[in-house]
Amino acid sequence: MVSEALAFGSTDLFELIGFQKMDNQAILTVQSRNTQGACPSCQQSSRQLHSYYRRKINDLPAFGNKVCIEVKARKWYCQNEDCSRIIFTERFSHFIQPFKRCSDRLREKLLTIALLMGGNAGKRLCRTLSIATSSSSLIRLIHSQALPEQATSHALGIDDWAFRKGVNYGTVVVDLEQHRIVDLLPDREAQTVENWFKPRQEVSVVSRDRFSRYASGVSNALPQAAQVADRWHLLKNMGDALKTLLERKRQEIIAAQSSLPVNEFATNQVEIVEVQAAPMEVQSAPEPSPRLKLVQQVREMHIGGKTLRAIARELRISRNTVRKYIFLHEPPKKKGVKSTNLGSYSDYLQARMLEDNQVEVLQLFKEIKAQGYNGGRTILYEYLNSYGKRRGSQRTVKLPVLSWKASSVKVLLCKKEEQLSEKDKVLVRDICEKSEDVKEARMLALKFRDMMENRQGHLLKEWIDEVGASSIRELKGFAKGLLSDIEAVQNALTLPWSNGQVEGQINKLKTVKRQMYGRAGFELLKKRMILGSDLYHQN
């Protein structure tokens, strides 16, 4: 029969003896071709038939219909007088496991769906595939699987991940050669890491970030293994040092830039243009903002001899904010929601306002919007606010300088000249001309990046000495941190291993964890990540 050929292969022991179709469900009645059965207790064969019984098994859907296989199974008498069983049921271990309600092939597909989709999402997918199941059944299917024994690679990577950010964390262990998760640990304590690595003395390379507990745990368990610091974190730490330097020097640089003649520097910054408006009574100076008052208060307390900790405690702000404000004369500008191309229309705005000093800001917004301005109206209002475009005012006003952000410039300082656009080249060159410290920091940052790209770890100590001889305290702090983990940093600048793929596995882990909502217990998450590792790599 055609239906039998579709349902079973040539090696299957079933023969189709009946077929029925009702309510989007196909029921296939089958029986075994065996003429004898083996007792599950004593394994002795028997041909003495006792009776028949019907066993219903769910199978893979076909043609949009649910499929139920009704097995006409036999019961046999056990011929072994010493066996504890008198009657036993025919077993079909190649197709249906004892006491199960679905076929092995359906169970395999459900496990795949559960590992990839989880409980609730998997249930919805099964519904569209005409498979009747529940989210709890899918979760139980995952729990029923045993974790496989895995041969440990000689190169592993570890990093932490958050059960709940800022509250508790776990550790992921990744095989850097096979690109798969080996294990999940319930915390990120040094003792836990040490206990996991101790029986795995064949590991010779461990890639990690600069977390001190990982360093001590791996060192205690595998003193012979080479530890490799994460290169991305090294660049990030250096970038943070450059950002702190730029924030300290920012107002000094901008003050020097404000004295430049028109069209002196990058086009994403606005030249200063004086505009004479109609006479009006001069208004009194505005009241200083709360943030400006805070900056002034921090500076006064610091000059008075108070420590950073005491200032932070008294003003109820963080020490990082205090550390930043003691070098500023006015608060840093707040970050915008997104960067815009407003600077490209500065010449047009100036020309329009010189042409008609009564032009409305809304009209200006409509005009530059038609030309390709990608920002909002509020940004334009704030930008032109200090222009003093009030009717009848008698004073000379200036268009403000669209200043750069330290978080953006720190990236430019780490790039080579040929990697920068023309605008960025002009901006970087201008900032370096205005500050010798920034110029020297850029030179040192490029040297560090060259060491990393060319695998020149033997030059690290020489670079640290050069930083120590400089006047840039931010980079000195970064270099001092490198000395505390010098071997791992040298290995990062020498060996090809990287923690990058570990970060990728953590990103996948976070996706799976969030997919499971409140059912993302540690054991369930661990089994999904390990058992489903091969599935996630399939194209």
Side-chain angles (χ1 to χ4, degrees), residues 1 7 24-25 41 44 52 81 86 111 191-192 209 217 251-252 257 292 307 311 313-314 414 417 443 470 501 505:
M1 298 176 67
N24 296 324
Q25 184 178 34
S41 296
Q44 182 171 326
Y52 289 92
E81 296 180 356
I86 299 175
L111 177 61
Q191 190 61 49
T192 303
D209 61 15
Q251 292 183 355
E252 172 188 326
Q257 286 176 334
L292 177 58
T307 63
I311 297 173
R313 187 184 302 114
E314 184 173 339
C414 295
E417 191 77 11
M443 181 267 295
S470 70
Q501 63 166 292
Q505 296 284 2

Side-chain angles (χ1 to χ4, degrees), residues 85-334:
R85 290 178 182 265
I86 299 175
I87 301 170
F88 64 89
T89 303
E90 190 174 13
R91 300 293 175 93
F92 310 101
S93 57
H94 64 287
F95 183 72
I96 311 164
Q97 297 303 313
F99 310 109
K100 299 301 180 183
R101 298 298 183 193
C102 66
S103 64
D104 289 351
R105 57 193 181 189
L106 175 59
R107 185 180 175 86
E108 180 183 343
K109 299 301 181 184
L110 288 175
L111 177 61
T112 300
I113 291 174
L115 291 173
L116 290 175
M117 305 294 295
N120 291 327
K123 179 187 71 173
R124 290 191 290 268
L125 177 60
C126 288
R127 188 184 303 154
T128 64
L129 297 176
S130 300
I131 301 175
T133 188
S134 67
S135 58
S136 297
S137 296
L138 293 174
I139 297 300
R140 283 197 299 270
L141 189 57
I142 298 176
H143 279 304
S144 66
Q145 304 301 308
L147 292 175
E149 290 287 337
Q150 294 183 346
T152 305
S153 168
H154 83 282
L156 298 176
I158 61 174
D159 204 349
D160 58 358
W161 56 276
F163 285 103
R164 184 179 174 191
K165 193 170 183 180
V167 179
N168 54 337
Y169 292 82
T171 298
V172 61
V173 184
V174 176
D175 187 333
L176 298 180
E177 294 181 320
Q178 300 297 323
H179 299 265
R180 59 185 299 157
I181 292 178
V182 175
D183 205 352
L184 296 184
L185 309 182
D187 56 51
R188 54 177 181 176
E189 299 301 322
Q191 190 61 49
T192 303
V193 174
E194 180 181 346
N195 293 341
W196 193 91
F197 276 102
K198 262 187 178 178
R200 298 169 172 82
Q201 294 298 313
E202 66 274 16
V203 177
S204 58
V205 175
V206 178
S207 176
R208 57 170 176 80
D209 61 15
R210 300 175 64 194
F211 189 37
S212 59
R213 295 178 191 173
Y214 287 160
S216 61
V218 175
S219 298
N220 294 336
L222 303 171
Q224 81 285 355
Q227 299 187 43
V228 182
D230 182 23
R231 289 192 285 273
W232 182 86
H233 279 93
L234 292 175
L235 287 177
K236 181 182 183 301
N237 295 150
M238 185 177 68
D240 291 341
L242 292 175
K243 180 183 176 181
T244 305
L245 169 65
L246 289 167
E247 287 175 342
R248 178 165 65 89
K249 293 287 185 179
R250 181 175 179 275
Q251 292 183 355
E252 172 188 326
I253 296 170
I254 290 179
Q257 286 176 334
S258 299
S259 61
L260 290 174
V262 175
N263 294 327
E264 179 77 16
F265 58 98
T267 57
N268 63 339
Q269 302 193 0
V270 179
E271 304 83 1
I272 297 169
V273 177
E274 296 186 353
V275 180
Q276 188 71 30
M280 183 185 168
E281 198 173 307
V282 178
Q283 298 180 355
S284 59
E287 190 72 18
S289 67
R291 293 180 72 227
L292 177 58
K293 289 181 180 178
L294 182 61
V295 171
Q296 294 171 347
Q297 196 173 0
V298 168
R299 288 177 57 84
E300 289 172 1
M301 295 173 72
H302 182 255
I303 293 173
K306 288 193 175 183
T307 63
L308 301 185
R309 187 184 297 273
I311 297 173
R313 187 184 302 114
E314 184 173 339
L315 298 180
R316 295 184 178 182
I317 57 178
S318 70
R319 276 181 287 169
N320 287 335
T321 302
V322 175
R323 193 176 290 110
K324 180 166 57 176
Y325 279 10
I326 59 178
F327 300 107
L328 304 181
H329 295 283
E330 61 183 42
K333 293 188 179 297
K334 293 183 178 179

Side-chain angles (χ1 to χ4, degrees), residues 272-277 386-389 393 395-399:
I272 297 169
V273 177
E274 296 186 353
V275 180
Q276 188 71 30
S386 61
Y387 188 82
K389 212 188 82 52
S393 63
R395 56 192 175 119
T396 300
V397 294
K398 299 178 180 180
L399 278 176

